[in-house]
Amino acid sequence: MTDANTQNQLNKDLAEMLKGGVIMDVTTPEQARIAETAGAAAVMALERVPADIRAEGGVARMSDPAMIKSIQAAVSIPVMAKVRIGHFVEAQILEALSIDYIDESEVLTPADDQNHIDKHAFRVPFVCGARNLGEALRRIGEGASMIRTKGEAGTGDVIEAVRHMRTMTDGIRRVQAASPMELMAIAKEYGAPFDLIKYVHENGKLPVVNFAAGGIATPADAALMMQLGSDGIFVGSGIFKSGDPAKRAKAIVEAVTYYDDPEKLASVSEDLGEAMVGIHVSDIPAEERLAQRGW
Amino acid sequence: MTIGVLALQGAFREHIAHLASLGEEPRRVRTADNLTGLDGIILPGGESTAMARLLLDTGLLQPLHDAIVDGLPVWGTCAGLILLAKDIIGDGAIVGSHTAAKDAVSHSAPPARLALMDITVRRNAYGRQLGSFSTSALVPAVSDAPIKMVFIRAPYIESAGPSVDILARVDGRIVAAREGHMLATSFHPELTDDLAFHRYFAHLCHARTSAARSA
C-alpha cells in the first residue's frame, strides 16, 4: 500500500491533471455523458444542483451511493462527490465507492459547526472551498489536495467568486511581500498553519491547485475567473439549469482553454440560449449564504 | 530549439517549465498557426476525452496529425499517449480501484485521436485514483540512474508493433516506448525534478532538425 505522504502527493498530482479544465455538476448518468462529450475534465455527482438545494430547502446530504455508482459506470473521466462539512462517515462511504475526489462542501448542510474532516485520515483526495488565504491554508493543513474559491453556489451571480479569488490573490501577495519576521503574526491573523504561510512566502502561490466555483454561468464568467488566476472552473447549476446544456457546456470548456482570446470567446458565446435564471447575491440574507459555512 | 506543448487542458505548464530549465524555447500550442516552425511537440497529461474534444472542435487535430506524419517529433505523456495510440482497449468506466479494466465496448473512448503509433493502450489501466502510484525504474535508453515515475489514473501499453522499441516496463507492463520520432510514456516526468526524459526528447528533436537541415 502507498504510504500517506506519497498518496497525498499523488492526490495533488491528480488535481494538476484537471487544470485548464471544467468540472461539471451532474445529477444523472445522461447528464454525465453530456458533460463528458462536451469535454468536461471531471464530473461532480449529486442529487440536486445548488440552485435546487437553495430553492427547495431542507437538509442537503451526501448523494445516494447507487446514484454515484451509476455515474461512475457511465463515464471514464474522474467522478467527484460531495460530503457535508465535518461528516467523516459520509467521506468513508465515498472512499469505499473508490470515488476519485471528495468535495467537503458548504453547499450541503454542515454536520459539524466547529471542525472540518481530518482529511489526512483518508487515501482519496479532497477538494475544499475557501473565501480567503487563511481558510484555504487551514483546509490544506487538514489534508485537502485541491482548493476552490467558494463563490455563492446556485445563484448564477459571479460577484462572490470574483471577490474570493481577488481576496485570495491579495493574501498571497501580502504574504509574499512580508519580511520573514512578520510571518508568524500573519499566520496568527489569518488563522493559518505557520509552515504553509512560509510556503506561500517562498513560492508566491498555494501549494495545491486552485479552481473557481460558485455563480459561474457563462463562457465569459469562466474566462473572467481564468484571467483572475484560477487553474480551472467548477460549474454547478450553470449548465443543466440553462436552456441548451450540451451547447453551453461545450462553450464553457472552450472558454477555459481560450480564456485570453476575445475573438474566440465571442464566437463560443453566440446563440447559447437562455442562461440559468440568476439570483442577486445581495438579495440573499447573510445567514442564508452558503459561503459563510466553513470554519 | 522551439518545442511546443499542446496547451488545451491538463498539466502543460510543468512541461513548459522543464523545457525552459533545459534552455529550450517552449511554446504553448492552441491553434494550427502555433505549429509553424516547431522542432518538436509534447502532448501533456490531462483528460484525454477533454483534449480530444478540443482538438476536434478547434480544427487542430488534422494539422497536428499531418505535422507528425511529416516527421515532427512528438512525445505523449499519459493522456498524450492515448491520443497517439492506434488502438485503445478497456472500457474507461471502472468501479473498483484495483480491478483491471474490462475489455467491454469503449463507450466513452475519446471522440477523436491522432492514432499514429503502432501500440494498443489500455485506458485507466490501474483503476481509479486509489490505484494511482509512484515508483522508480531504470530506463537504459534515457538515463543511467533510475527514473522516478508518477502514474495518475494511468494507461499502459498492452502490446506494440514490430517497429516500436520498448523503453521501460513496470511489473511487466510496458510504460514507455518509442517508434521512430514518436515517444510515449504512461507516467509523468514533468511532475518530478528529473529532467532526463525531457533531455532525451530534446535530443530526438535536435537530431531530426539537424538531419532535415543537412538533407
Side-chain angles (χ1 to χ4, degrees):
Chain A
M1 173 142 347
T2 312
D3 72 65
N5 280 341
T6 309
Q7 187 67 43
N8 189 253
Q9 185 57 49
L10 290 166
N11 289 342
K12 290 181 188 175
D13 288 344
L14 173 59
E16 299 289 337
M17 295 304 137
L18 299 171
K19 280 188 308 196
V22 182
I23 299 167
M24 301 181 192
D25 279 4
V26 297
T27 58
T28 64
E30 292 69 36
Q31 288 185 356
R33 278 191 284 266
I34 289 170
E36 183 177 55
T37 303
V43 291
M44 177 78 68
L46 74 179
E47 276 165 357
R48 293 182 289 170
V49 295
D52 290 336
I53 291 173
R54 194 178 278 288
E56 292 163 19
V59 176
R61 309 178 178 92
M62 178 190 80
S63 299
D64 181 342
M67 174 270 181
I68 294 169
K69 279 155 83 177
S70 71
I71 287 175
Q72 287 177 314
V75 294
S76 70
I77 54 179
V79 178
M80 305 184 168
K82 291 184 192 291
V83 300
R84 285 179 267 177
I85 289 171
H87 206 315
F88 53 88
V89 173
E90 286 186 346
Q92 290 165 2
I93 292 170
L94 290 185
E95 183 168 67
L97 297 179
S98 293
I99 201 81
D100 290 300
Y101 241 98
I102 294 175
D103 184 1
E104 186 183 19
S105 177
E106 70 282 2
V107 169
L108 304 185
T109 309
D112 188 324
D113 67 352
Q114 304 285 323
N115 307 291
H116 284 250
I117 295 170
D118 170 19
K119 293 165 272 287
H120 290 295
F122 291 80
R123 294 179 60 235
V124 285
F126 281 76
V127 55
C128 289
R131 287 159 295 180
N132 52 51
L133 181 61
E135 194 173 11
L137 296 182
R138 286 195 294 280
R139 297 296 86 79
I140 295 165
E142 293 156 0
S145 41
M146 179 177 182
I147 291 293
R148 55 174 175 76
T149 48
K150 286 180 177 173
E152 187 59 27
T155 61
D157 187 348
V158 80
I159 187 168
E160 292 299 295
V162 169
R163 190 200 314 277
H164 297 157
M165 190 58 72
R166 286 198 184 278
T167 307
M168 187 89 75
T169 309
D170 283 350
I172 291 171
R173 275 198 292 252
R174 181 180 164 208
V175 171
Q176 198 179 12
S179 77
M181 201 180 136
E182 296 167 312
L183 295 180
M184 186 57 86
I186 293 178
K188 185 181 168 197
E189 179 191 334
Y190 284 2
F194 177 71
D195 61 325
L196 293 177
I197 287 283
K198 205 157 164 271
Y199 178 94
V200 172
H201 175 69
E202 285 161 6
N203 296 279
K205 62 184 183 76
L206 291 179
V208 303
V209 163
N210 182 24
F211 273 44
I216 295 157
T218 68
D221 289 347
L224 173 68
M225 297 315 299
M226 293 299 289
Q227 289 200 28
L228 288 173
S230 302
D231 290 315
I233 302 290
F234 282 85
V235 188
S237 320
I239 290 173
F240 290 100
K241 283 283 158 190
S242 75
D244 188 345
K247 194 168 180 188
R248 184 166 294 264
K250 188 165 159 284
I252 291 177
V253 167
E254 289 194 32
V256 169
T257 296
Y258 297 97
Y259 67 91
D260 55 356
D261 179 344
E263 284 179 26
K264 189 84 189 174
L265 293 173
S267 83
V268 305
S269 298
E270 275 183 25
D271 292 329
L272 294 181
E274 286 292 310
M276 70 178 283
V277 178
I279 308 168
H280 293 165
V281 173
S282 52
D283 292 343
I284 303 171
E287 67 278 10
E288 289 177 22
R289 294 187 192 170
L290 302 176
Q292 48 87 29
R293 296 169 169 175
W295 355 104
Chain B
M1 269 184 316
T2 307
I3 299 180
V5 182
L6 187 68
L8 297 176
Q9 190 270 323
F12 49 85
R13 284 199 297 246
E14 289 71 14
H15 276 297
I16 288 171
H18 273 31
L19 290 171
S21 57
L22 284 176
E24 307 296 346
E25 197 180 310
R27 181 197 294 170
R28 288 181 184 218
V29 174
R30 295 191 300 182
T31 65
D33 291 347
N34 298 151
L35 293 170
T36 311
L38 287 185
D39 298 300
I41 186 163
I42 295 175
L43 315 178
E47 280 307 316
S48 57
T49 43
M51 272 189 238
R53 183 83 254 158
L54 286 157
L55 277 174
L56 201 60
D57 291 345
T58 60
L60 188 52
L61 185 70
Q62 196 60 45
L64 177 61
H65 175 275
D66 296 348
I68 297 168
V69 168
D70 286 346
L72 180 69
V74 61
W75 172 22
T77 54
C78 195
L81 171 152
I82 293 170
L83 296 177
L84 279 175
K86 274 195 180 149
D87 292 300
I88 303 280
I89 52 171
D91 170 353
I94 311 141
V95 175
S97 61
H98 299 289
T99 50
K102 296 170 290 182
D103 283 330
V105 276
S106 210
H107 65 251
S108 51
R113 283 178 293 114
L114 296 160
L116 288 169
M117 225 174 138
D118 193 10
I119 51 177
T120 298
V121 168
R122 188 178 283 276
R123 289 177 80 203
N124 290 348
Y126 299 95
R128 294 190 169 279
Q129 174 61 6
L130 286 174
S132 292
F133 66 102
S134 60
T135 187
S136 287
L138 266 180
V139 188
V142 173
S143 173
D144 295 336
I147 288 179
K148 190 179 174 200
M149 299 176 176
V150 179
F151 295 82
I152 305 291
R153 285 173 47 99
Y156 59 68
I157 299 172
E158 182 94 12
S159 61
S163 57
V164 178
D165 293 325
I166 313 276
L167 301 184
R169 289 177 194 264
V170 168
D171 298 332
R173 316 288 196 193
I174 306 168
V175 295
R178 177 180 163 183
E179 182 179 9
H181 65 296
M182 297 184 283
L183 176 66
T185 57
S186 56
F187 50 91
H188 295 278
E190 78 280 11
L191 295 180
T192 71
D193 296 333
D194 194 333
L195 293 170
F197 250 97
H198 288 79
R199 197 173 286 120
Y200 177 76
F201 182 62
H203 279 302
L204 210 153
C205 298
H206 195 261
R208 158 92 196 342
T209 303
S210 311
R213 278 203 192 111
S214 59

